[in-house]
Amino acid sequence: MASLHVYSVLVVLLLTCGPVMATKENDQIIKEKNCETKMGLPCVLEAFTSIFETGIIFNKCCGELVVLGKVFHSALVKRTLENPLFKDLSPAAIIAKSIQTWNNCLALIDSPSPSA
């Protein structure tokens, strides 16, 4: 059952970076940022699970997300919420988790890393 869930997540991630039902504005933002090549799949999965499930996003992936920018981050979340697979989710709860993930990433990126 867990493998089916992971497969579903992968399909959704591919759909959110490909042509799906979404507003033209979100599509344009995502296309301009070229999400397929600027954020690796492992980091997309981390970001996705930190927003849409109960996962954690770590420094490396926070760095990739922050480089893409808040506008891209918001557009990708909104575009995913427009997908019929997520119709039962609470948009307000997801947007709140999205903001929390973004703020956590900014804090991770801005904080000095411990020296080795």
Side-chain angles (χ1 to χ4, degrees), residues 13-28:
L13 289 171
L14 292 173
L15 289 176
T16 58
C17 284
V20 295
M21 293 175 11
T23 64
K24 290 181 182 178
E25 180 180 323
N26 290 335
D27 279 347
Q28 187 64 29

Side-chain angles (χ1 to χ4, degrees), residues 17-62:
C17 284
V20 295
M21 293 175 11
T23 64
K24 290 181 182 178
E25 180 180 323
N26 290 335
D27 279 347
Q28 187 64 29
I29 291 167
I30 292 166
K31 183 178 178 181
E32 287 173 2
K33 291 290 186 176
N34 198 11
C35 68
E36 295 91 346
T37 61
K38 291 189 177 178
M39 190 170 190
L41 183 59
C43 287
V44 170
L45 287 171
E46 267 188 36
F48 181 87
T49 58
S50 74
I51 297 167
F52 290 90
E53 295 177 5
T54 56
I56 297 171
I57 186 167
F58 295 99
N59 290 28
K60 177 186 179 296
C61 295
C62 276

